[in-house]
Amino acid sequence: MKFTVDTEYLLERLEELVNTPSPVGYYVEMNPLLERYAAELGLSVEFDHRSTAYITLEGEDNSKTILVGAHADTLGLMVRKIDKDGAIRVRNLGGINYCNLEGESVTVHTRTGKTYTGLMCCQSHSVHVFADARTLERNEDTMKILLDEPIHSEEDVRALGIRHGDFVSIDPRFQVTKSGYVKSRFLDDKAAIACCFTMAKYLKEHGLKPKYRTILAVPYNEEIGLGGTYVPPEVSEYAAVDIGLIGPDYDGNEYAVSICAKDNIAPYDYELTNRMIAYAEKAECDYAVDVFFRYGTDGNTAMRSGNNLRATAFGMAVYCSHGMERTHIKGLEATTNLLLAYVLDI
């Protein structure tokens, strides 16, 4: 049984999600958005002390509780130093690849709520000026932010209210092509959140309940390996909806949903992974099963942290992960279909 999901709704939510800054640890703008999305579907949000959002869908059978997790944190930066000339130096939040940040627009978020845009550039920023402009390694010691303000000194920057420890978000540059490709930073993992809300919308509009009580969880620390360390004790299954990878070792592609059998640390639960494959076939999803390297999810973090649960992981495959990412609408639809098949236990 293939589900017909609201793709327009999915893409509208995805665009708004990726345009809402939420670098690792910065949740102040995202949580109100999640509350609005939930309220539109007649649902409510609760938050734990880590600011993880939880939306509970009552099931046909509430004797069992499953959790579907999609993390809201993205790669980002934090102010670590202000140079004498007013340039800003940063530390990374998550697995930043500085090579693909050069020339990108960024926003500094001060602790008092002010924002300032800037340009991320290399200190050897021009081939017309620097002999090593092409060869200098791009890293946190060679990259800097030039504020889009009349700045001439460290004092000028501090006068704006910018301090060490301020968060820096990166312009996502969201785009959907006529042929259905979705290009944006932070499809990891905003695309999964959009799929989760599209799944919840489908259930509401068709008068359906999940088979079991289902918690939709949105944590903020997956990119630093902490997102699944705490799980509500009643949860027996953790389904991490996260990006799939594309590469020479993998069968996954942008038009399908990838089911992860093993990540960098350990295999996912044998029985639950088998069920995910069966769900994908019953829901007529294009899917691939892959083993990912240099990759992890909140699901495996939850198991490794001692929680008494099974875990699985799946999601839309993307090109250029942790950079300017690309997937296809069909991959988003397949992921939402697998979500529906899983929660409905078809």
Side-chain angles (χ1 to χ4, degrees):
M1 173 186 178
K2 191 168 186 177
F3 305 96
T4 302
V5 301
D6 189 340
T7 304
E8 183 178 355
Y9 173 89
L10 194 161
L11 292 175
E12 287 175 353
R13 291 295 175 268
L14 176 53
E15 181 173 10
E16 190 170 19
L17 285 162
V18 297
N19 284 323
T20 301
S22 58
V24 175
Y26 183 78
Y27 47 79
V28 295
E29 297 184 48
M30 181 60 64
N31 274 347
L33 183 63
L34 298 176
E35 289 181 301
R36 174 163 66 81
Y37 288 174
E40 290 170 354
L41 297 175
L43 302 168
S44 59
V45 184
E46 296 180 347
F47 300 95
D48 64 17
H49 296 303
R50 299 182 178 193
S51 294
T52 299
Y54 299 101
I55 302 170
T56 301
L57 309 176
E58 295 301 324
E60 298 288 352
D61 177 359
N62 286 332
S63 65
K64 174 180 175 179
T65 301
I66 65 174
L67 184 146
V68 174
H71 67 91
D73 59 305
T74 68
L75 304 181
L77 305 161
M78 182 171 277
V79 176
R80 69 172 169 96
K81 179 186 176 185
I82 304 172
D83 287 347
K84 295 302 181 183
D85 64 358
I88 291 175
R89 304 288 180 157
V90 295
R91 295 280 189 220
N92 64 294
L93 295 172
I96 287 287
N97 179 357
Y98 285 96
C99 294
N100 64 43
L101 286 188
E102 188 169 7
E104 192 59 88
S105 294
V106 299
T107 300
V108 179
H109 304 264
T110 73
R111 300 278 174 171
T112 58
K114 295 180 180 178
T115 59
Y116 299 95
T117 62
L119 174 70
M120 175 65 70
C121 68
C122 180
Q123 60 192 30
S124 295
H125 55 80
S126 171
V127 296
H128 294 108
V129 181
F130 299 95
D132 63 349
R134 291 188 175 91
T135 59
L136 184 65
E137 181 181 350
R138 271 57 174 170
N139 57 42
E140 64 181 21
D141 294 321
T142 62
M143 299 292 285
K144 61 184 180 179
I145 295 172
L146 304 179
L147 291 173
D148 300 328
E149 301 288 337
I151 296 299
H152 305 287
S153 67
E154 177 184 358
E155 291 71 27
D156 289 343
V157 176
R158 293 188 180 277
L160 297 175
I162 295 174
R163 298 291 184 270
H164 295 180
D166 287 344
F167 286 88
V168 180
S169 62
I170 303 160
D171 187 352
R173 294 192 283 118
F174 179 86
Q175 180 184 0
V176 181
T177 72
K178 292 180 180 179
S179 52
Y181 290 97
V182 183
K183 299 188 292 186
S184 179
R185 294 187 186 274
F186 317 133
L187 297 179
D188 177 11
D189 197 28
K190 302 293 182 70
I193 300 175
C195 290
C196 287
F197 276 103
T198 304
M199 176 267 290
K201 180 176 184 287
Y202 184 96
L203 294 177
K204 177 181 173 61
E205 291 180 343
H206 291 81
L208 298 171
K209 285 185 176 182
K211 176 67 176 295
Y212 304 107
R213 178 186 288 116
T214 300
I215 299 174
L216 304 181
V218 185
Y220 284 92
N221 294 289
E222 190 275 347
E223 297 292 357
I224 56 173
L226 297 176
T229 50
Y230 171 77
V231 180
E234 66 273 20
V235 172
S236 61
E237 293 180 3
Y238 196 122
V241 190
D242 211 329
I243 62 166
L245 306 181
I246 295 174
D249 288 346
Y250 309 136
D251 286 337
N253 61 79
E254 295 168 283
Y255 315 102
V257 56
S258 293
I259 299 171
C260 181
K262 179 191 178 299
D263 64 16
N264 189 44
I265 301 297
Y268 287 85
D269 183 78
Y270 180 83
E271 186 274 334
L272 183 51
T273 300
N274 287 352
R275 272 200 279 140
M276 299 311 301
I277 295 169
Y279 291 138
E281 292 178 349
K282 290 178 181 177
E284 301 175 37
C285 296
D286 289 331
Y287 75 94
V289 181
D290 273 319
V291 174
F292 295 142
F293 186 52
R294 299 188 184 94
Y295 175 96
T297 74
D298 288 335
N300 234 339
T301 299
M303 289 197 298
R304 288 158 46 214
S305 299
N307 294 284
N308 183 25
L309 50 77
R310 305 169 185 262
T312 186
F314 63 92
M316 53 282 132
V318 305
Y319 267 105
C320 309
S321 59
H322 280 198
M324 187 64 185
E325 298 165 336
R326 192 184 82 165
T327 192
H328 194 274
I329 291 172
K330 290 185 182 297
L332 300 173
E333 292 172 337
T335 300
T336 309
N337 264 261
L338 182 52
L339 264 171
L340 282 162
Y342 172 59
V343 301
L344 292 170
D345 192 27
I346 63 170

